[in-house]
Amino acid sequence: MKYLNIREEEIKNRVATDFFEKFDCDPIVGFIDFAVKLQRPKNVIDFNDEYLLWAEVKSAPTNVITMLTQLVLTIGKARTFDKIMPPPFLGCYDCEKIAFVPYSEIQPVFYQNDFNWKVTPSNTETKEFKQVYEQIQNIIDNDIPWETYLFDFERDEKDLKKFIRENFIVGKTGTTKIRIDKNNFIIIYNKWLESVKPTIGVNWDKAKIKGIIDGHFYLADLLSAENKTLKEKLFVLLKGDYYEFDRIIDETEFDTFKRAEFKDRGKAHTQFWNKYERPPKEEYWDYIIERQDLLVPQDVRERKGSYFTPRQWVELSQRYIADVLGENWQDEYTVWDCAAGTGNLLAGLTNKYNIWASTLDKADVDAMLTRIDTMNKNSLTGNGANILESHVFQFDFLNDDFSKLPQGLRDIINNPEKRKKLVVYINPPYAEAATTATVTGTGENKTDVAVKTKIYQKYQNKIGIAGRELFAQFFTRIYSEIPACVLAEFSKLKILQAPNFSNFRDFFRAKLAKIFVMPAYTFDNVKGKFPIGFFIWDTGDHEDFTYIKSDVYDEQGNFISTKGFSVDTNTQSINDWLISTRNRTNEKNIGFISCKGNDFQNTNFIFIINDKSQLPHPRGTWITDKNLIEVGIYFAVRHCIEATWLNDRDQFLYPNDGWQNDSEFQNDCLAYTLFNNNIQSKYGINHWIPFTEYAVGARDNFNSNFMTNFIEGKSQPAIVSEPLLFYDFNDDNGGGGDSTYRENIKREFSFEAKAVFTAGRELWRYYHSQPNVNVNASLYDIREHFQERNDKGKMNNTSKDEKYNEFIGILREKLKNLAAKMEPKVYEYGFLKK
């Protein structure tokens, strides 16, 4: 080994000297171990740093994927790529070897949605580390010829130096212009927004209302040479010292357009583009035009559906269509994407004479026409759009009359037999009139988005609240006004499961022929871990949806399982069940449980606190000495099964009666709840201490022994003489049967629950052995004591006290075991459906 028994810092110095002597290896880039950039030329003041390599370094032999994963987590945590132009290569090395990976291959990892980048990059045990490790492993296995990028320092020294010599080259023209490619065109766009956009004579707020956005102007700049846009069919064209846009041919067949000039005569524009080489290589043009959705503001994206469908799902969806319609479907059916954007969903379709594409924005029409030019000129490369120009048109599907359609497509829609051979193939927009941000007071209702379309006004009485979502409006018009066609679409699963879509399901009775689901976070800028489905509906065959088995694919496009989806309109929810436990005779409040929604996506909103006054907008139920068992069941059922992207929309239901006679399940749930709540003694008397003072070595009496008395059956005398378990659920009083409540029964716990109590007791004992502790401390108080809070006031994940970390770790392990034991009963008693 070339650098055996040498400290990490010295290895960095030796590698820099031995292999990167012509480059600058001194810069410190955040917490990245090793960075290589071009040497700054002498006497050059306006020099843009260009990095060639960011690398992770270890002194001992280390797995390459492990090192690369730590590097990716380090970069992602700091979002270094938003501040500094990323290099062409990421890499890693230790005492014996060095490896390189093209940055473009890793880049998608940085843009995955709802990923927790705050984890410690060196902690190999986190789920985030394991997730990124798997992603990088998959990239290397499938996309990278590893023998080209992995070198032994001693054995491959000559090859390594040759690789550096041939690949670590100046990516500039002269000494000032940075190349633009598919890796950095978004970063440069963000810089353009700051430097150039303010100098263009456009009222951007008014322009956005008309569908004119800054990204169109950037694209015109980017795909230009000598300040003239090279692609004449783009929506905006740079014409030297001004822009032309929104070109139309009027009734006299004159070509008219709007014009925007620079406020500063182009000074800032010239200074900005002097730093960059335009245009990018032609091989990137189609990719950049196709991905112009990345230049669209978020609110416009939601309204217009400017979302790029990942290529793996495009290909898979077309295979599923072939499974349903037959392998010759592209020749036998006509395809219409009525929310086409730049047309990426149509990639892979071969019969351009049978394809139609419409979109709301003229800019997207122009982008498709540009991509058609690319295909016509470079058909062998596979780039561009394989559609006829005459089949691409601007059309507002939710407002325009079908009389505005091209004659060829209108003939199909107006012919009942031809409609049966029409596939409406779409990934529609998803904007809705209200979102979570609206409900919590951080956003505004998008009343001008979903509820002002003509389709909404026409059908709102039939489809109910579902009509406030644009994708539902698309399906409504297709179902009603293009009957008997095939609808092949990407959307959320609300159409199958959501209670708010019950009216829509009564209206939309198309037969669901096939479906597969995938993680939503594989789509650009889609927030949340939930499933997106690809559905194939036969709108000519009507039936009520009740159940379907779906194929399930992971984020890499691998088939992993099947899952059933069902709807039962006659079933009440778990929250209905909890509400039935309210207002019992002589009850005493001991806490409050926050409740929201009936599905897994709301798991984080299910928690137990002292009092509803702790919440700004409380929604939930008081916990009392009369409903503690049911609350414990409710809480445990909502938390014992991990929320994943796949079960995110699964509904928790009103249970059957089986749980009433299962004391072990009830007590398991109670134990689970006692060690998972957010009770804090500073908000009132803590009734939730599950141990006696003697058991934990407390220095004084607790303010309340309610919980241990409850467990021992000492709360209050029995009201009835017959030995009932907890309640008589068939009494005449309804609800929980308050007159027959029996509290003086000692709770007997299972082996797994006892293990939780034992682990918890050791934690409480350790806490009470500390000086100056709060005698009435809750579990939350104990965690706060040891873990402390950071500068932002958030409780730290771990403690500096290793003994505490050991105790809390054991408790969490025992709780996981208990959760696993309870899970089958959740399905058995009807809280969830398989």
Side-chain angles (χ1 to χ4, degrees):
M1 298 183 188
K2 189 175 181 69
Y3 304 113
L4 186 63
N5 298 324
I6 299 177
R7 290 185 303 176
E8 185 176 306
E9 287 303 315
E10 181 58 26
I11 291 179
K12 294 179 189 177
N13 294 334
R14 294 276 293 275
V15 169
T17 301
D18 294 346
F19 296 98
F20 297 97
E21 68 276 11
K22 295 182 179 180
F23 303 95
D24 182 1
C25 301
D26 294 331
I28 298 175
V29 181
F31 292 98
I32 296 172
D33 288 339
F34 187 75
V36 177
K37 71 174 184 178
L38 294 174
Q39 293 279 7
R40 176 180 290 271
K42 294 181 180 180
N43 302 321
V44 175
I45 297 176
D46 187 17
F47 178 78
N48 290 287
D49 289 332
E50 182 171 352
Y51 285 89
L52 303 172
L53 173 69
W54 292 339
E56 181 72 21
V57 181
K58 301 292 182 185
S59 58
T62 307
N63 177 275
V64 169
I65 311 299
T66 298
M67 289 191 284
L68 288 173
T69 300
Q70 184 171 338
L71 175 65
V72 167
L73 290 172
T74 299
I75 295 170
K77 185 174 185 178
R79 295 199 66 82
T80 313
F81 46 81
D82 284 341
K83 306 162 189 171
I84 302 174
M85 196 77 69
F89 289 100
L90 299 180
C92 60
Y93 61 86
D94 55 26
C95 61
E96 62 178 354
K97 61 187 176 296
I98 186 170
F100 304 91
V101 177
Y103 180 87
S104 60
E105 297 290 346
I106 299 295
Q107 187 182 35
V109 178
F110 294 122
Y111 291 96
Q112 57 188 313
N113 292 289
D114 292 310
F115 184 85
N116 177 23
W117 289 104
K118 296 180 180 179
V119 296
T120 302
S122 59
N123 186 351
T124 60
E125 296 302 315
T126 65
K127 66 177 183 179
E128 290 80 7
F129 190 99
K130 294 174 181 178
Q131 180 177 329
V132 173
Y133 184 101
E134 183 179 348
Q135 290 171 332
I136 295 175
Q137 182 71 68
N138 186 66
I139 290 169
I140 288 174
D141 289 345
N142 296 312
D143 302 320
I144 297 176
W146 201 226
E147 64 278 3
T148 305
Y149 296 101
L150 179 64
F151 303 90
D152 184 282
F153 280 124
E154 291 184 328
R155 186 180 63 248
D156 305 321
E157 182 174 351
K158 290 184 179 179
D159 291 336
L160 172 57
K161 288 183 176 180
K162 180 182 178 183
F163 177 87
I164 294 171
R165 186 169 60 251
E166 293 180 351
N167 290 279
F168 283 46
I169 56 178
V170 178
K172 302 180 177 184
T173 302
T175 58
T176 59
K177 289 186 178 280
I178 297 174
R179 287 180 181 172
I180 303 174
D181 57 28
K182 62 183 181 181
N183 296 332
N184 61 20
F185 82 98
I186 296 299
I187 295 171
I188 295 170
Y189 165 62
N190 291 328
K191 296 178 183 292
W192 181 93
L193 290 176
E194 297 176 0
S195 301
V196 179
K197 177 183 174 180
T199 70
I200 301 174
V202 172
N203 184 320
W204 296 108
D205 291 334
K206 292 183 178 180
K208 189 166 74 169
I209 295 174
K210 298 293 186 180
I212 301 166
I213 59 173
D214 48 49
H216 299 150
F217 288 78
Y218 171 71
L219 201 60
D221 277 1
L222 183 61
L223 299 180
S224 67
E226 298 180 357
N227 261 13
K228 293 186 178 181
T229 303
L230 299 173
K231 304 295 280 184
E232 283 293 325
K233 292 184 178 179
L234 289 178
F235 181 69
V236 177
L237 302 177
L238 177 62
K239 295 286 189 177
D241 57 356
Y242 65 93
Y243 297 95
E244 286 183 2
F245 60 98
D246 198 16
R247 300 184 313 275
I248 59 173
I249 299 176
D250 64 18
E251 62 277 5
T252 62
E253 299 189 1
F254 281 105
D255 192 11
T256 63
F257 55 84
K258 294 181 176 65
R259 173 171 171 152
E261 298 185 353
F262 295 104
K263 300 175 184 178
D264 63 348
R265 298 185 178 180
K267 181 179 178 181
H269 183 272
T270 300
Q271 290 177 345
F272 180 84
W273 288 112
N274 279 342
K275 301 174 185 178
Y276 303 100
E277 180 181 341
R278 293 183 293 166
K281 289 183 178 179
E282 192 167 354
E283 64 192 74
Y284 301 134
W285 292 9
D286 186 64
Y287 174 84
I288 291 171
I289 294 171
E290 186 181 31
R291 295 314 314 270
Q292 73 171 359
D293 62 296
L294 298 175
L295 309 177
V296 178
Q298 180 74 10
D299 60 332
V300 177
R301 279 182 162 213
E302 293 181 2
R303 179 167 59 88
K304 298 181 178 179
S306 302
Y307 282 93
F308 183 86
T309 310
R311 189 59 52 86
Q312 62 184 352
W313 307 133
V314 172
E315 295 173 355
L316 187 61
S317 68
Q318 292 172 12
R319 293 212 304 268
Y320 272 68
I321 295 174
D323 288 343
V324 173
L325 302 182
E327 62 180 15
N328 297 320
W329 74 279
Q330 293 193 49
D331 295 323
E332 297 173 358
Y333 286 78
T334 299
V335 176
W336 179 21
D337 183 351
C338 55
T342 59
N344 94 286
L345 186 59
L346 303 173
L349 299 184
T350 56
N351 189 345
K352 62 184 179 182
Y353 299 97
N354 283 3
I355 303 171
W356 297 85
S358 63
T359 184
L360 181 63
D361 267 351
K362 185 177 185 302
D364 285 338
V365 172
D366 293 341
M368 278 192 279
L369 295 177
T370 300
R371 297 186 61 230
I372 291 171
D373 276 350
T374 301
M375 173 63 75
N376 292 338
K377 294 175 182 177
N378 304 281
S379 60
L380 295 179
T381 67
N383 293 327
N386 185 35
I387 319 174
L388 296 176
E389 286 193 9
S390 59
H391 284 199
V392 176
F393 58 100
Q394 185 178 3
F395 186 75
D396 184 345
F397 191 80
L398 299 182
N399 289 292
D400 287 345
D401 190 88
F402 280 169
S403 62
K404 295 183 179 181
L405 294 174
Q407 185 63 48
L409 182 58
R410 194 160 70 247
D411 289 343
I412 294 172
I413 289 176
N414 290 336
N415 186 309
E417 290 304 314
K418 289 183 178 180
R419 280 201 304 267
K420 295 178 183 179
K421 292 293 185 176
L422 173 65
V423 177
V424 181
Y425 181 35
I426 54 172
N427 181 6
Y430 68 86
E432 54 187 300
T435 64
T436 302
T438 306
V439 175
T440 57
T442 60
E444 296 182 357
N445 277 317
K446 302 170 187 169
T447 53
D448 61 332
V449 176
V451 300
K452 289 190 176 181
T453 69
K454 291 182 179 179
I455 294 302
Y456 177 80
Q457 299 298 329
K458 183 176 181 180
Y459 292 101
Q460 60 175 315
N461 293 333
K462 294 183 178 181
I463 60 178
I465 197 171
R468 296 170 71 86
E469 301 217 32
L470 290 182
F471 82 89
Q473 294 183 32
F474 270 81
F475 301 164
T476 298
R477 186 175 197 185
I478 293 165
Y479 180 75
S480 295
E481 301 180 17
I482 318 177
C485 73
V486 175
L487 172 58
E489 49 87 5
F490 289 88
S491 67
K492 302 175 186 178
L493 302 189
K494 289 183 177 183
I495 193 170
L496 302 184
Q497 296 179 300
N500 287 344
F501 271 61
S502 60
N503 289 340
F504 180 84
R505 283 190 290 271
D506 291 340
F507 167 80
F508 185 88
R509 299 183 62 249
K511 180 179 180 180
L512 180 54
K514 201 153 191 175
I515 176 179
F516 71 84
V517 296
M518 70 232 82
Y521 56 79
T522 58
F523 290 73
D524 285 337
N525 294 317
V526 176
K527 299 178 181 179
K529 293 185 177 181
F530 58 89
I532 291 287
F534 177 71
F535 304 75
I536 303 176
W537 305 90
D538 182 354
T539 67
D541 193 351
H542 297 169
E543 65 180 22
D544 292 328
F545 171 76
T546 55
Y547 175 84
I548 194 167
K549 181 176 286 187
S550 169
D551 292 338
V552 180
Y553 291 84
D554 66 16
E555 61 189 22
Q556 304 298 334
N558 301 313
F559 174 81
I560 55 175
S561 66
T562 60
K563 178 178 172 60
F565 294 102
S566 62
V567 63
D568 187 345
T569 56
N570 297 317
T571 300
Q572 291 179 286
S573 72
I574 192 172
N575 283 342
D576 294 325
W577 175 67
L578 187 64
I579 289 171
S580 73
T581 72
R582 295 175 179 172
N583 302 319
R584 289 175 172 156
T585 305
N586 298 324
E587 62 186 6
K588 179 179 69 175
N589 292 348
I590 61 171
F592 183 82
I593 182 167
S594 169
C595 306
K596 181 185 175 185
N598 296 293
D599 50 20
F600 277 96
Q601 68 174 317
N602 288 293
T603 296
N604 290 337
F605 295 99
I606 311 301
F607 53 85
I608 292 173
I609 54 178
N610 300 62
D611 194 282
K612 66 189 298 183
S613 63
Q614 293 171 241
L615 300 176
H617 306 290
R619 294 178 62 184
T621 293
W622 285 109
I623 309 169
T624 74
D625 56 340
K626 299 295 194 292
N627 70 357
L628 177 58
I629 291 300
E630 290 110 315
V631 170
I633 293 172
Y634 176 93
F635 181 88
V637 164
R638 294 298 299 264
H639 280 277
C640 71
I641 301 173
E642 181 182 5
T644 67
W645 71 265
L646 184 56
N647 66 18
D648 187 73
R649 298 307 197 255
D650 287 3
Q651 301 289 313
F652 287 92
L653 305 171
Y654 201 113
N656 58 47
D657 294 338
W659 68 272
Q660 297 176 17
N661 297 311
D662 190 340
S663 61
E664 183 172 302
F665 173 69
Q666 295 171 11
N667 293 336
D668 281 346
C669 291
L670 176 62
Y672 185 87
T673 302
L674 290 177
F675 295 92
N676 269 299
N677 59 75
N678 290 340
I679 295 291
Q680 300 178 63
S681 59
K682 68 180 181 181
Y683 289 112
I685 296 176
N686 177 11
H687 298 293
W688 292 75
I689 302 175
F691 306 108
T692 64
E693 294 90 340
Y694 177 80
V696 297
R699 292 181 174 86
D700 205 342
N701 292 325
F702 298 150
N703 287 340
S704 171
N705 294 107
F706 168 82
M707 198 57 67
T708 50
N709 287 336
F710 184 86
I711 291 171
E712 291 295 323
K714 300 177 182 178
S715 296
Q716 52 184 284
I719 297 175
V720 295
S721 56
E722 292 299 318
L724 299 174
L725 191 57
F726 295 107
Y727 302 105
D728 177 2
F729 286 86
N730 296 311
D731 80 316
D732 295 331
N733 296 312
D738 13 357
S739 67
T740 56
Y741 181 77
R742 186 172 180 84
E743 294 174 312
N744 64 337
I745 294 178
K746 183 176 181 179
R747 319 299 174 199
E748 298 292 340
F749 293 98
S750 66
F751 172 82
E752 291 81 2
K754 288 178 180 178
V756 169
F757 274 97
T758 299
R761 185 176 64 246
E762 294 306 308
L763 176 62
W764 252 267
R765 281 177 175 172
Y766 183 65
Y767 171 78
H768 283 282
S769 71
Q770 307 297 308
N772 302 318
V773 296
N774 174 9
V775 172
N776 295 292
S778 65
L779 176 60
Y780 187 98
D781 296 331
I782 294 172
R783 291 175 52 228
E784 186 176 39
H785 172 83
F786 286 108
Q787 295 172 212
E788 302 179 312
R789 295 186 179 274
N790 59 25
D791 295 339
K792 296 181 179 180
K794 183 178 180 181
M795 191 185 299
N796 296 314
N797 293 327
T798 59
S799 171
K800 297 176 183 178
D801 188 320
E802 290 302 324
K803 193 70 174 174
Y804 163 79
N805 290 336
E806 179 182 348
F807 283 132
I808 196 72
I810 293 172
L811 175 59
R812 288 167 178 164
E813 178 186 353
K814 301 305 180 185
L815 283 167
K816 285 183 179 179
N817 294 340
L818 180 59
K821 176 178 183 292
M822 294 186 295
E823 181 175 344
K825 296 294 183 72
V826 173
Y827 294 97
E828 179 181 342
Y829 298 142
F831 290 103
L832 285 173
K833 287 189 175 182
K834 282 285 189 181

